[in-house]
């Protein structure tokens, strides 16, 4: 039995990328409470690796008010559920123009399990062929660049890359390479 049971739920907000719901809950000790939950579909994050260089995307992240470098990542439009490996290939092509011969699943990440149901798969993309990006309208300010691995690690340690999913994905890559 789960230690927290949902007693009631109501949708508070919805757009093309997420829904927000408020759940009335009952804890194992019988006390009542409330949870606000952000529901988003599964996302895919892709680490494009070519030799000793990695491709990152940079875009303006409105909630932070900052431009941030990160690995290509995203969800299917309209809250749709898409097979994560297919989504990874689509996000890679869309954001960078790259096509990968090989997509290797590196693992699972939970975005913010205290407030969101969203989970994501991390993929390593190799055997890359360059092409033109096919960005969505919301990604019009996005730019891409290749970085040597040492530079990516420096960007992580200095906070230039602060996207938690990108940092965690890089850790999954390092663990994958140690196997």
């Amino acid at each position: 039995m789960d230690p927290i049971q949902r007693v009631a739920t109501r949708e508070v907000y919805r757009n093309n990328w997420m829904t927000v719901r408020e759940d009335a809950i009952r804890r194992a000790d019988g006390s009542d409470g409330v949870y606000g939950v952000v529901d988003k579909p599964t996302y895919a994050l892709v680490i494009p690796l070519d030799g000793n260089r990695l491709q990152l995307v940079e875009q303006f992240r409105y909630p932070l008010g900052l431009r941030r470098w990160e690995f290509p990542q995203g969800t299917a439009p309209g809250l749709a559920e898409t097979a994560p490996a297919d989504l990874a290939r689509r996000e890679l092509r869309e954001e960078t123009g790259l096509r990968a011969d090989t997509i290797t699943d590196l693992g699972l990440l939970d975005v913010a399990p205290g407030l969101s149901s969203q989970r994501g798969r991390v993929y390593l993309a190799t055997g890359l062929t360059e092409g033109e990006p096919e960005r969505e309208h919301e990604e019009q300010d996005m730019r891409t660049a290749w970085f040597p691995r040492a530079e990516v690690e420096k960007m992580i340690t200095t906070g230039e890359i602060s996207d938690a999913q990108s940092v965690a994905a890089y850790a999954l890559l390092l663990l994958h390479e140690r196997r």
Side-chain angles (χ1 to χ4, degrees), residues 2-131:
D2 291 335
I4 299 175
Q5 297 295 314
R6 180 169 53 191
V7 178
T9 188
R10 71 181 183 95
E11 188 175 286
V12 179
Y13 175 79
R14 172 183 291 269
N15 66 27
N16 286 335
W17 299 276
M18 69 177 166
T19 61
V20 178
R21 64 183 156 89
E22 184 176 271
D23 291 350
I25 57 109
R26 184 157 299 122
R27 296 178 192 90
D29 69 359
S31 64
D32 294 327
V34 65
Y35 255 102
V37 179
V38 177
D39 287 318
K40 294 184 75 166
T42 299
Y43 74 94
L45 181 148
V46 187
I47 302 174
L49 177 63
D50 181 38
N52 194 40
R53 62 186 189 145
L54 300 157
Q55 188 161 112
L56 300 173
V57 297
E58 186 204 47
Q59 61 186 315
F60 183 74
R61 289 302 193 178
Y62 177 80
L64 296 176
L66 300 168
R67 293 191 68 77
R68 306 308 303 157
W69 285 103
E70 56 197 41
F71 290 117
Q73 58 192 287
T75 61
L79 298 173
E81 288 292 338
T82 301
D86 295 339
L87 183 57
R89 287 184 184 280
R90 197 197 92 204
E91 286 297 317
L92 181 66
R93 183 185 69 251
E94 182 181 285
E95 293 187 4
T96 69
L98 295 170
R99 274 104 173 131
D101 288 339
T102 305
I103 294 278
T104 305
D105 189 340
L106 298 181
L108 175 69
L109 295 177
D110 293 326
V111 174
L115 69 95
S116 178
S117 64
Q118 189 177 38
R119 307 187 92 189
R121 300 298 313 183
V122 176
Y123 293 90
L124 173 62
T126 55
L128 301 170
T129 304
E130 298 206 22

Side-chain angles (χ1 to χ4, degrees), residues 1 5 22 35 78 106 157-158 165-167:
M1 181 171 173
Q5 297 295 314
E22 184 176 271
Y35 255 102
L106 298 181
T157 59
T158 63
Q165 287 75 239
S166 293
V167 174

